[in-house]
């Protein structure tokens, strides 16, 4: 069955949702829809949702809510809620958004086409939140590629079984399951052939990749991907500190395409809170792992996630988090105020911290980290760093020398994921260029390329 018209996808949430949205778009394309960025033109609107924090969930409801009016003037418009909020709410979603046509849970993507057909045949208010332990596989497809893209996400595993007490992921994404290494290598080989230079492997806990299925280990998977021709950089997220293995540390050290960067969410610096969060490590264990990592990979850049205001977090617990950040000096952090999620166990813990206090702690923490990030950025001045070119800079800095007829201000990223702006006449998107860093700002570095571009050379 074919449809005619345009599809608009709004993606909220993590990188996995970005990857999933591309798969949804592939399905929509195969049913005859063309992709559009113009909401007004859309004949089908899909919101791929996130329920990690209250705010993300509200964003989804408010986006979808506004189609009630539009649907009156455009009755054929199809509206779909997909992803984590869809999985969490099921048919309850219709109470807040009665005009919704399809509620598509996180494990129902393979059946999206079927539901579109049922809708065309007259079925209304379709809900699919069936729990399927199957991994969703689709044939790799590069037809909807944007040629200027350098970097892509590839999900290697789905679900999570860590049950951190604040987190909805195990409930909305289900049990952990890994894709086969052959399928992953096949997909990345195709991406590399299509010109992609960097991939980020996605999973809630990549270190347990393949364990349940008896697949090769994550470091072994990295080794296979490292051998793929044309690919220049490999990133991955997320590693859980409790499972960070020495083999992974060696893989970062030895595999030339694996970036010298690790995102290792610590969440809190207080042992009491870590225990209540069910994280499975102490402050000491975390610090020991970081020390080992720094010993083996002295140039490693580190980033982390922090939650402030977890139920019962005292001022001292919070100070412990601050001191951990000061000790380790992460290159960057993502910090969040704890958001109560009714499906997660911590919602029943009591002893909630006032919203106002959570905000105070969050702003204080971010302020402190800004200074650390700036210090880390300033340490780059004078260094010559490889930058993977992503495109022209959107930001222009006054006084930045742009002499020469074809001189453009370009931007790219270092292995450590720092943004670098530099002037150049002849680099191409996807080149790796050595840039001498001359200036450091809170969120970016600025410099000049060395005389000859080292295109493709590492
Ligand atoms: N699997 C990854 C993280 C996935 S969610 C890991 O274990 O690290 C991304 C981040 O959102 C988490 O690291 C955490 O810092 C934050 N987060 C998750 N649930 C939250 C909640 N209820 N309130 C605030 N932040 C939360
Ligand atoms: Fe959530 Fe913890 Fe799983 Fe990460 S490891 S997704 S924080 S339950
Ligand atoms: Fe959000 Fe679901 Fe990702 S809850 S963070 S979109 S796994």
């Amino acid at each position: 069955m074919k449809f005619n018209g345009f599809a608009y996808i709004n993606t909220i949430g993590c990188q996995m949702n970005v990857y999933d949205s591309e798969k949804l778009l592939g399905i929509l394309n195969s049913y005859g829809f063309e992709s559009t960025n113009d909401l007004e033109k859309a004949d089908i609107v899909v919101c791929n949702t996130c329920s990690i924090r209250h705010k993300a969930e509200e964003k989804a409801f408010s986006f979808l809510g506004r189609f009630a009016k539009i649907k009156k003037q455009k009755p054929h418009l199809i509206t779909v809620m997909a992803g984590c909020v869809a999985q969490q709410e099921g048919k309850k979603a219709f109470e807040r958004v009665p005009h919704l046509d399809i509620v598509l849970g996180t494990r129902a993507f393979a059946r999206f086409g079927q539901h579109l057909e049922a809708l065309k045949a007259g079925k209304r208010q379709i809900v699919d939140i069936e729990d399927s332990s199957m991994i969703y596989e689709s044939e790799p497809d590069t037809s909807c590629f944007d040629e200027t893209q350098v970097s892509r996400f590839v999900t290697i595993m789905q679900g999570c079984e860590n049950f951190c007490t604040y987190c909805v992921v195990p409930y909305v994404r289900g049990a952990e399951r890994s894709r086969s290494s052959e399928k992953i290598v096949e997909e990345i080989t195709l991406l590399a052939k299509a010109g992609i230079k960097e991939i980020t492997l996605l999973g809630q806990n990549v270190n347990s990749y393949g364990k349940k299925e008896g697949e090769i280990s994550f470091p072994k998977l990295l080794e296979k991907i490292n051998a793929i021709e044309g690919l220049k950089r490999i990133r991955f997220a997320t590693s859980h500190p409790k499972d960070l293995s020495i083999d992974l540390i060696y893989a970062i050290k030895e595999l030339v395409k694996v970036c010298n960067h690790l995102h290792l969410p610590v969440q809190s610096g207080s042992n009491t809170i870590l225990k209540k969060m069910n994280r499975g490590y102490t402050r000491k264990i975390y610090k020991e792992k970081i020390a080992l990592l720094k010993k083996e990979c002295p140039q490693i850049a580190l980033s982390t996630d922090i939650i402030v205001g977890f139920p019962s977090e005292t001022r001292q617990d919070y100070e412990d988090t601050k001191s951990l950040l000061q000790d380790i000096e992460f290159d960057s952090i993502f910090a969040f105020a704890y958001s109560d999620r009714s499906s997660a166990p911590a919602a029943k813990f009591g002893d909630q911290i006032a919203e106002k206090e959570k905000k105070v702690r969050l702003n204080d923490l971010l302020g402190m980290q800004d200074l650390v990030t700036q210090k880390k950025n300033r340490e780059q001045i004078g260094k010559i760093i490889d930058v993977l070119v992503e495109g022209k800079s959107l930001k222009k800095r006054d006084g930045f020398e742009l002499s020469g007829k074809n001189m453009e201000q370009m931007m790219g990223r270092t292995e450590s994921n720092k943004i670098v702006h530099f002037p150049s006449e002849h680099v191409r998107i996807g080149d790796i260029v050595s840039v001498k860093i001359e200036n450091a700002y809170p969120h970016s570095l600025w410099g000049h390329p060395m005389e000859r571009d080292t295109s493709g050379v590492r």
Side-chain angles (χ1 to χ4, degrees), residues 175-333:
E176 186 180 288
R177 56 226 180 267
S178 297
R179 293 177 67 196
S180 85
S181 54
E182 280 93 46
K183 284 276 180 199
I184 297 167
V185 170
E186 188 191 326
E187 180 169 350
I188 298 171
T189 306
L190 200 86
L191 293 176
K193 275 200 188 124
I196 294 298
K197 305 292 182 228
E198 174 185 86
I199 49 120
T200 304
L201 305 172
L202 303 177
Q204 298 296 355
N205 183 7
V206 290
N207 246 339
S208 57
Y209 168 80
K211 283 192 183 149
K212 270 170 99 176
E213 291 79 5
E215 254 291 354
I216 56 172
S217 68
F218 183 59
K220 281 267 176 297
L221 178 68
L222 287 176
E223 216 176 290
K224 285 200 172 201
I225 298 170
N226 192 63
I228 295 174
E229 215 177 300
L231 191 70
K232 292 181 183 173
R233 282 184 175 176
I234 305 167
R235 300 185 187 277
F236 55 87
T238 306
S239 294
H240 194 301
K242 76 176 165 52
D243 298 318
L244 176 65
S245 66
I246 186 76
D247 285 354
L248 181 58
I249 295 178
Y250 284 136
I252 300 171
K253 182 177 176 181
E254 276 151 23
L255 299 175
V256 65
K257 294 179 187 173
V258 174
C259 287
N260 218 347
H261 172 219
L262 188 67
H263 182 63
L264 197 64
V266 66
Q267 313 297 357
S268 170
S270 150
N271 283 334
T272 321
I273 297 296
L274 285 172
K275 192 143 190 245
K276 288 184 182 168
M277 287 177 161
N278 189 32
R279 287 293 287 178
Y281 53 85
T282 58
R283 176 188 174 103
K284 182 162 173 273
I285 292 174
Y286 186 88
K287 283 181 80 173
E288 281 167 5
K289 295 214 175 185
I290 294 284
L292 183 61
L293 196 62
K294 283 184 174 169
K295 181 170 158 258
E296 295 297 336
C297 316
Q299 299 305 318
I300 191 113
L302 294 167
S303 56
T304 199
D305 290 350
I306 299 287
I307 296 177
V308 297
F310 185 79
S312 82
E313 185 188 71
T314 61
R315 210 54 226 188
Q316 185 54 51
D317 291 323
Y318 169 67
E319 290 299 330
D320 288 348
T321 299
K322 263 177 96 172
S323 75
L324 183 77
L325 296 196
Q326 253 150 356
D327 285 357
I328 294 180
E329 295 194 323
F330 290 97
D331 291 76
S332 63
I333 67 164

Side-chain angles (χ1 to χ4, degrees), residues 14 16 51-54 160 162 164-169 203-205 237-241 263-267 279 304-308 310 334-341 344 346:
C14 67
M16 281 189 194
S51 56
I52 201 87
R53 285 170 288 275
H54 179 69
C160 181
N162 285 311
C164 303
T165 54
Y166 49 81
C167 183
V168 293
V169 173
Q204 298 296 355
N205 183 7
T238 306
S239 294
H240 194 301
H263 182 63
L264 197 64
V266 66
Q267 313 297 357
R279 287 293 287 178
T304 199
D305 290 350
I306 299 287
I307 296 177
V308 297
F310 185 79
F334 298 89
F336 310 99
Y338 168 76
S339 172
D340 216 25
R341 313 279 59 219

Side-chain angles (χ1 to χ4, degrees), residues 12-17 49-52 84 168-169 172-173 204:
I12 303 170
C14 67
Q15 298 166 331
M16 281 189 194
N17 266 12
T49 60
C50 170
S51 56
I52 201 87
C84 295
V168 293
V169 173
V172 294
R173 290 269 174 172
Q204 298 296 355

